Amino acid sequence: MAAAEAGPAATGTPTLVSPPSQARSPIAAAPSLTSLPAEVAAAGPSELPHPESGEAADPLIQEAMDKASPRDLPPADEALLLRQGRAAWLAETARYTRVRIQAVTARRDTTADDGGPGRAVVRLVWAGADPAGTFLDGRPGTVHFTQNGDGSWKQTL
């Protein structure tokens, strides 16, 4: 699976298009304010802060993501995946400035081909300025993981 930029689809679910600079990256990024993760969009516009609301809006975005997608991983796995997902995202966005993760969830990946319990997806909403200096918040991103036989998690493409 290639890295992707998410754009809005008719269903509100981000569509994936490979960015030219990161065609083989396991992480999906989106520079559009209108393409929030489906779980955030499902929370309804009345529950979400206005774009460009700043850091004060981050807890509201986190709350909307948590409400839209119930926890389904053991607490230890969820905590580990949140840490690994944040670290992977910050590494992926190293060429951006003023990067801030606004909200993040880790859930079983029910969209995986095998639908097995050994797959997870970390969904993020982040803010940052691209290399041209354009600052946007509400950027969605995803990082996928597969569980190894020893119980550890590995980032996947």
Side-chain angles (χ1 to χ4, degrees):
M1 173 180 197
E5 290 200 12
T11 62
T13 303
T15 56
L16 301 178
V17 180
S18 295
S21 64
Q22 301 165 348
R24 293 295 302 156
S25 170
I27 299 177
S32 171
L33 290 173
T34 61
S35 58
L36 290 172
E39 62 205 19
V40 176
S46 63
E47 297 179 31
L48 295 175
H50 184 274
E52 302 175 11
S53 295
E55 290 182 37
D58 295 356
L60 298 173
I61 297 169
Q62 183 67 55
E63 182 179 331
M65 288 180 71
D66 288 338
K67 283 174 50 176
S69 175
R71 288 184 161 94
D72 61 1
L73 290 165
D77 284 341
E78 181 181 13
L80 176 64
L81 286 163
L82 290 173
R83 283 191 310 274
Q84 288 181 333
R86 284 175 180 271
W89 196 255
L90 292 173
E92 185 72 15
T93 58
R95 64 190 189 104
Y96 286 71
T97 59
R98 298 178 10 215
V99 172
R100 169 178 101 249
I101 295 175
Q102 296 179 272
V104 61
T105 61
R107 303 293 187 258
R108 292 192 192 283
D109 187 354
T110 58
T111 64
D113 292 336
D114 65 3
R119 295 186 182 268
V121 60
V122 174
R123 291 186 175 90
L124 306 102
V125 177
W126 64 286
D130 63 29
T134 304
F135 182 86
L136 294 174
D137 61 359
R139 297 172 183 255
T142 60
V143 185
H144 294 268
F145 292 90
T146 301
Q147 194 167 31
N148 296 321
D150 64 359
S152 63
W153 292 89
K154 178 184 177 188
Q155 186 177 343
T156 57
L157 298 176

